[in-house]
Amino acid sequence: MTFWDKILSNEVLISAVVGWTVAQVLKTILEIALNKNFSPERLVGSGGMPSSHSATVCGLTTTAGLCYGVESFQFAVSFVLASVVMYDAIGVRQETGKQARLLNMIMEQDLFRMNNEDFQQRLKELVGHTPLQVLAGAVLGILLALLIHQFY
């Protein structure tokens, strides 16, 4: 069995990667539909609807539970990881985005005309997620994992 055959036969890994990929594509489609703007950064960037972090870890956790059982260490580790990632997305990372928005507003004022190129670039505001974005990503990851499990 080749390396790629082994990778593609790993249902847990495939579920996580598919969760991330589908969420990123959906984010990009929503950006185009709502803002009439294609931003290639949306294909790989964080923040936005749905949360690709949540889709990834919930796909991982769901498949670990389906493959190894909810009593397994694989499920336990995945569940704890998912909890931390989703908590962080709603809490710390969302606050970071709010702070970036405020700092960008301050930097745009006449009071702060900085010559240094590093300070002229806007800070990234789409960093974290709202609870709804995290929930949508979680549901997406779980549903995709259930669908993928049907084919393995």
Side-chain angles (χ1 to χ4, degrees), residues 85-152:
V85 166
M86 292 188 296
Y87 175 80
D88 183 64
I90 293 172
V92 176
R93 290 178 56 238
Q94 185 181 30
E95 288 303 314
T96 301
K98 289 177 184 176
Q99 291 171 5
R101 268 189 296 285
L102 179 61
L103 288 171
N104 284 335
M105 287 173 28
I106 291 170
M107 288 180 5
E108 290 169 0
Q109 302 302 313
D110 289 333
L111 299 170
F112 294 92
R113 294 291 178 202
M114 302 172 196
N115 291 328
N116 188 333
E117 277 187 39
D118 292 335
F119 288 106
Q120 292 297 325
Q121 294 180 359
R122 291 180 56 82
L123 298 171
K124 185 175 177 189
E125 296 178 12
L126 276 176
V127 183
H129 294 284
T130 65
L132 179 62
Q133 292 169 339
V134 169
L135 177 64
V139 170
L140 176 65
I142 291 167
L143 292 175
L144 288 170
L146 292 171
L147 180 67
I148 289 168
H149 187 67
Q150 298 301 310
F151 295 101
Y152 275 84

